[in-house]
Amino acid sequence: MDVNDLLAEAYGRLPDLVDSAVEGLGPEQLRQPPAPGATTVGWLVWHLTRMQDSGVADLLGAEQVWVSGDWAGRFGLTADPGDTGFGYTAEQVLAVRPESGRALVDYHRAVAERTGAYLRGLRPADLDRVVDENWDPPVTVGVRLVSLLEDDLQHAGQAGYVRGLIERG
């Protein structure tokens, strides 16, 4: 297995995790924190997708999926490319209002398709390209992709856990 196949396999597992986290939940359940100040299933899935969208768009030097369509309106937000949910307060988390689980799944799938195409086109040398010199050692494409994947997997697991808390109410 080459590195492209490995990355594509790992990232390719995320859409199923997203689907299982939101399947059958209504808009109010997606927006319901399990405790005051906690994050919601909707925010977790939106945020993991925003981070992947922002990160891969940056690697591509392209516009984010988020700003290229009417995604923001489906979440009650504006199409600000800098808004990924990072550092959100509890009030900001509650302001992310997905219209449905389908909105979350559709946005994630659009981002996942672009990510998959990007991964399939990478050459091994591309992974060594430095994309951020503000760290020691500097961050490469490969390191950035692993960081994005790690963050996404953690949030997908959290979304599944929060879902369980909401369902048990």
Side-chain angles (χ1 to χ4, degrees):
M1 179 178 275
D2 68 17
V3 71
N4 297 58
D5 292 339
L6 181 65
L7 287 168
E9 173 66 24
Y11 273 90
R13 293 178 182 212
L14 288 165
D16 288 341
L17 295 173
V18 165
D19 289 352
S20 66
V22 304
E23 182 181 2
L25 295 182
E28 290 308 312
Q29 291 170 305
L30 293 168
R31 302 171 188 162
Q32 178 184 347
T39 56
T40 65
V41 171
W43 182 87
L44 286 160
V45 172
W46 170 81
H47 172 65
L48 76 85
T49 307
R50 287 293 301 119
M51 293 300 291
Q52 186 180 143
D53 188 7
S54 174
V56 172
D58 186 53
L59 294 174
L60 284 166
E63 185 175 69
Q64 296 173 25
V65 171
W66 180 250
V67 299
S68 64
D70 186 33
W71 298 110
R74 295 180 73 184
F75 293 86
L77 300 169
T78 60
D80 177 358
D83 184 6
T84 62
F86 189 76
Y88 261 29
T89 65
E91 292 78 27
Q92 289 172 306
V93 166
L94 294 177
V96 176
R97 302 183 56 79
E99 65 186 20
S100 64
R102 175 59 36 205
L104 290 158
V105 167
D106 289 350
Y107 175 48
H108 185 78
R109 290 216 182 260
V111 170
E113 285 175 18
R114 181 163 77 170
T115 299
Y118 172 67
L119 295 173
R120 286 187 298 278
L122 283 176
R123 296 167 299 165
D126 295 333
L127 296 171
D128 294 328
R129 179 173 60 93
V130 172
V131 295
D132 189 347
E133 294 188 6
N134 293 317
W135 299 91
D136 185 20
V139 176
T140 62
V141 168
V143 168
R144 178 64 45 85
L145 287 169
V146 169
S147 295
L148 289 170
L149 180 62
E150 174 196 23
D151 188 66
D152 281 1
L153 288 169
Q154 286 187 42
H155 287 315
Q158 291 166 343
Y161 180 75
V162 171
R163 177 198 174 100
L165 294 174
I166 297 302
E167 289 180 326
R168 286 168 184 77

